[in-house]
Amino acid sequence: MAAEEDSGEFYLRYYVGHKGKFGHEFLEFEFRPDGKLRYANNSNYKNDTMIRKEVFLTPAVLKECRRIIAESEIMKEDDNNWPEPDRVGRQELEIVMGNEHISFTTSKIGSLVDVQSSKDPEGLRFEVLCILSYLTPLQDQAYLKNE
Amino acid sequence: MASGDVEAVDFEPEDDDLMDEDAAGDASPQAPLPKLKSAITGAASTSLSAHKKTKGRGFREDDADRHSHLASRDFESLGTDGGPGPQRSIEGWIILVSGVHEEAQEDDLHNAFGEFGEIKNLHLNLDRRTGFVKGYALIEYEKFEEAKNAISTMDGTELLTQTINVDWAFSNGPSTGAFKRKNLRF
């Protein structure tokens, strides 16, 4: 069980976006195998400009990410029963871990931090994203403090 | 090797929306290896080292709606001044504590880590579903020495009967060695 977590490739990308009266707003981040974390956030609300940040994470952090993902068992999920992306918005989750590669898409359900995961067919095991989203705001916060 | 890999990491801005042209769609092992649907790279993504079991709508759908916002080169980043080592954040140095007991409270971490210096920030993440600690915490110190001491003193010790690991959170360069990089050309 630990083998999948500790060895092999790891990549994670998450995107959530919608088009509303403020234009196309989205958030996307990417954990790359070499530790680079890229983050892009575009909100047209109040004419914010796009934020793009990147930073390198240590192997310790990636290892913890892999553990969390493995524990969430999201690699065992399937987006078959999840609502499809629609005009209102979409979410994408792409993960490579070990020899498995998932690429899920679904509609935007509330906001990222409002998602309560559950085990029903439409349950979205996105609690991992809530966790990971802590990493990006933290490093993002570190960047933004300078602006 | 490290600098060569950094070269490979940068990608062309034009290479976005990398939907594989011949999307097989199902998890058949005979299907062509799908590329990663992101802006990480173009040709290099076909060099995934092994057949992957694939799953998900993302491999099947039309790419028309895809937006790849990570394609641009215009990312702000903290400088890379040499090989992988700890990276300072704007206000201080952030360390990762993993293996945190699920019933740990912020006070437990303050008690354990407060002796190394003033803790400027502490994030103890909770599992949103269970309410228990997710298993890790991020702690920020102002000074490098404080963080370094916390790491060297606390790594591998016990907190609330559970062994914790402590390490830097941010690095100033790509990781090598910790991951199998043979055929990895992301």
Side-chain angles (χ1 to χ4, degrees), chain A residues 9 38 77 90 105 142, chain B residues 11 49 55 57 61 90 168:
Chain A
E9 301 164 23
R38 306 191 115 201
E77 296 276 351
R90 69 189 282 131
T105 66
Chain B
F11 45 76
S49 55
K55 182 171 48 167
R57 195 152 45 209
E61 64 180 10
I90 299 301
W168 301 103

Side-chain angles (χ1 to χ4, degrees), chain B:
Chain B
M1 170 83 109
S3 55
D5 288 339
V6 171
E7 293 299 318
V9 160
D10 284 334
F11 45 76
E12 304 300 317
E14 305 84 53
D15 280 340
D16 53 355
D17 295 324
L18 300 169
M19 191 58 183
D20 47 321
E21 302 86 355
D22 37 21
D26 58 7
S28 160
Q30 276 73 41
L33 296 177
K35 296 184 206 136
L36 286 172
K37 280 183 59 180
S38 72
I40 45 176
T41 183
S45 63
T46 57
S47 69
L48 288 173
S49 55
H51 279 277
K52 299 265 186 274
K53 292 187 291 185
T54 63
K55 182 171 48 167
R57 195 152 45 209
F59 292 112
R60 299 187 289 274
E61 64 180 10
D62 179 20
D63 200 33
D65 290 332
R66 275 284 291 117
H67 301 273
S68 185
H69 305 99
L70 298 168
S72 167
R73 287 178 176 277
D74 300 329
F75 278 72
E76 292 178 47
S77 61
L78 295 175
T80 64
D81 49 341
Q87 174 67 57
R88 188 179 188 280
S89 300
I90 299 301
E91 283 194 342
W93 299 83
I94 300 179
I95 64 176
L96 172 80
V97 184
S98 52
V100 178
H101 192 281
E102 66 180 7
E103 290 181 3
Q105 317 236 341
E106 286 198 4
D107 278 351
D108 298 314
L109 286 156
H110 274 288
N111 290 338
F113 285 89
E115 66 182 82
F116 304 101
E118 184 192 346
I119 294 176
K120 309 296 272 183
N121 273 304
L122 186 145
H123 286 258
L124 183 61
N125 278 312
L126 301 183
D127 184 317
R128 298 181 67 84
R129 197 160 41 94
T130 67
F132 286 123
V133 166
K134 196 62 187 176
Y136 73 93
L138 293 161
I139 299 178
E140 180 172 10
Y141 296 97
E142 189 181 350
K143 299 197 175 82
F144 175 82
E145 293 76 21
E146 296 169 338
K148 184 158 175 47
N149 287 336
I151 290 172
S152 47
T153 307
M154 299 300 292
D155 184 33
T157 62
E158 271 199 6
L159 181 73
L160 300 176
T161 78
Q162 206 163 292
T163 302
I164 56 171
N165 289 108
V166 190
D167 200 348
W168 301 103
F170 297 115
S171 168
N172 57 10
S175 319
T176 57
F179 301 91
K180 298 202 159 81
R181 307 216 50 180
K182 261 190 250 193
N183 298 315
L184 210 55
R185 300 223 315 265
F186 288 98

Side-chain angles (χ1 to χ4, degrees), chain A residues 102-143:
Chain A
I102 61 171
S103 180
F104 297 157
T105 66
T106 189
S107 61
K108 188 168 178 286
I109 298 181
S111 68
L112 170 64
V113 295
D114 286 341
V115 170
Q116 298 290 325
S117 64
S118 63
K119 294 246 187 194
D120 61 41
E122 295 196 355
L124 304 174
R125 304 290 299 273
F126 279 179
E127 74 270 19
V128 61
L129 296 172
C130 298
I131 306 314
L132 297 174
S133 72
Y134 261 95
L135 279 177
T136 39
L138 187 66
Q139 61 95 8
D140 198 53
Q141 179 188 44
Y143 283 91

Side-chain angles (χ1 to χ4, degrees), chain A residues 25-45:
Chain A
E25 302 182 271
F26 72 91
L27 178 153
E28 186 167 24
F29 58 82
E30 181 184 58
F31 289 72
R32 293 156 74 145
D34 63 355
K36 184 180 269 196
L37 166 64
R38 306 191 115 201
Y39 166 81
N41 185 2
N42 186 44
S43 169
N44 294 318
Y45 183 62

